[in-house]
Amino acid sequence: MIFQDRDALASLRVLYVEDDKNTQEEIAFFLESFVSKLYLASDGEEGYQAYLDYMPDLIITDIQMPKMNGIEMVKKIRETDMQIPIIITTAYNETEYLLNAINTGVDRYLLKPVNFIALSEAIKACHFLDTNKHFHLSIDTQGTILDINDAAARLLGFLPQELKTHSLMEYVDLSFVEKMQNYLENLKKADFTKNFRMILRKKDGTCLESIFCVEEYLDEVINIEIKNIEIYMQNELSLNKSLESERFAKSLTELQYSINLSLDSAINKLDFLQNVVRLFTEIEGFEYAYSACKEADKEIEIVARSTAARSVGLESFPPKCLGMQSPYFCPLLEVINTQKMLVIEDVDAFIACESDGYLALNGIKSMIMLPIGVFVQENKQASITLLLSKVFHLNLEALKQFENISHQIGLGLKLIEERLERNNLQVQLRQERDFTNSVLDTAGIIIVVINREEAIVRFNKTAEQYSGYSAQEVLGKPYFWEHFLLEEERTGVVAHVETLQREPSNAYYENHWIAKNGEKRLFSWLNTSLMNEKGEVEYLIATGHDITERKKNEKLIEHLAFYDPLTQLPNRRLLGDRVLKALAMSNRSGMYGALLFLDLDNFKPLNDTYGHTVGDILLIEAAKRIQDCIRESDTVARFGGDEFVILLSEINKDVAQAYEHTESVASKIRMALEKPYHLEYLSNENEALHIDYQCTSSIGIKLYKGNEFSQDTLIQHADGAMYIAKSKGKNQIHIAE
């Protein structure tokens, strides 16, 4: 893309405010190629002072800067100047920043990294459109300035009050004074054209050449608007310079601008150089252009070449066939080694002998060799050679432009190298980040990271799955992690976190995790402190493993180890533990307890006749009946088969009352068990069957106090008493001595 209106920017004065040095250098390099004057500042305070000192035509500024940010600087400028165009560049694309910038009075908003094409379009829109719209001055028929707006005054480099009451003739270029006087005379006679060409002299000595338009002529007051602006620098070249020198100067400026644009879109350094040599032939009119480089002790190497404009023969034009190589001098090698520009305005006058006759054959008369610095590595220097079919003579301004282009290309190569390194680093960092994220998200454990303000900064996929919250819902919210805690467990966890923030260490604990839908899961946690370079706790990393199912299995295993799977009553193992505890309690309290040994009468015939399934149904019902007859503090255990043991603890200190209570409980159990059983079951053919069966019980009792009996002795005494009861005719109770 070529900026067609760039000539009009040759006297544009720009203030660029940016605190990042690398970004400032890159954008400044681009701007210097086509603006008249570039002022730089590193923060809002410097920028505001530079605005007051230099009164630029346009301001480009970053937002986030030290001392004073870009928004604050714009607000101060807008207090006194509502006309100057302002462009904001920033890495932030949030709506809040955009609306804040617009409300402050910013004309354009560009996101970083800044694209050169987008920046040039923004400058074009702000400068040209704004100037055309707002330039306005009023003069009387004598040429006295009656009124002038800010845009017109700034374009001339003045404040409005410096121009009012002055004659416009003071600012008209000498070459146009007579024409302007004649135009004013014709205005009085109402004999004038609406549009007229005029050159005004600006405060800094440069010229403003434009087609001006007379909008109104009422009551001897003339209102003038700019219709089309053309701005250029008035240096060594006069207004009457030749069309050829004018074209050459303009094309060099256009070339610099186009090189900057190609830098922005270049894939790599070779691509950039290929575009550069192409631009030299397309814009500047050179017949051929190529770039060469040389590493120490190696041959010169062509790295980029343009398509020859006039002759196919030049397309294979190698450095060794320059037609200028004498035994004592090789210009290309000299330029590469010394990195100094070489201009040969007349090849025929310079060459002692023409090697291979390539140049003469193709009509090449002039040559420029530009050093462009290091190409690939420290010992590999590069250059660009330009060939022209006519003798030319460069003035100081043109030589300076070529030196600038040489520096521009060299700096462009460095910028591309840095950009590629940054891109490679970003790719590497992105790959490492993606790998880390993948590991964290597929780890199968919850990973939550909180910062010093106790806001969640990391919430992996497993955490999202268990909590029901997305990372976006929880990130950055202080204390949100407490939402996942049970109220009764909150105090302990908060204490762990506070300890880890004060004393870096690890903390292990278990607590429940509450999901968004209220579901509770039990987790085992490891909390770890993560330190910063100052030795302070910067982050806390909590990793949680779901142990809900494990705990359930542990409880199931424990239940199977201590409970009868059929009746869900304590088994022999748990009974033994409870007997020991009951004996210890009795020893401390001095109260009597009792152990009852119970055996079901007539159970075996039921089992033999109807099978174990029906027998199991009766055992389950018998267990329930026994449980209904005792206190919650007492224990009923299945001792084996159709045998049950009942442990009555802490009955009474009086032995008689203890005997009375025990006999009462035993009688209650015996009567509950002798009631008929209504047993329902399915046959082998899946047929529903019903049996009414009566099964009594024989119960033996042994009282205890303190540790006078061991666990086994106590059970043996009760078991013996049960056999005595059974021998008395069953459905009896017997108390051991």
Side-chain angles (χ1 to χ4, degrees), residues 4 28 47 62 128 222-223 299 331 378 384 397 463 496 525 599:
Q4 301 296 341
D62 187 21
F128 286 94
I222 306 162
N223 293 316
E299 293 291 327
E378 291 301 325
I384 288 181
E397 182 184 0
H496 279 302
W525 294 96
D599 182 81

Side-chain angles (χ1 to χ4, degrees), residues 348-403:
D348 293 336
F350 180 81
I351 300 174
C353 60
E354 289 191 2
S355 174
D356 298 334
Y358 268 78
L359 296 178
L361 179 64
N362 291 281
I364 300 303
K365 299 296 183 183
S366 300
M367 182 180 295
I368 302 174
M369 295 182 179
L370 305 176
I372 55 175
V374 177
F375 175 57
V376 177
Q377 50 198 27
E378 291 301 325
N379 59 348
K380 199 165 188 177
Q381 305 287 346
S383 70
I384 288 181
T385 298
L386 311 169
L387 305 178
L388 198 61
S389 61
K390 54 189 173 186
V391 176
F392 65 85
H393 301 284
L394 297 179
N395 57 23
L396 292 176
E397 182 184 0
L399 285 171
K400 180 173 175 54
Q401 281 184 286
F402 272 111
E403 287 178 353

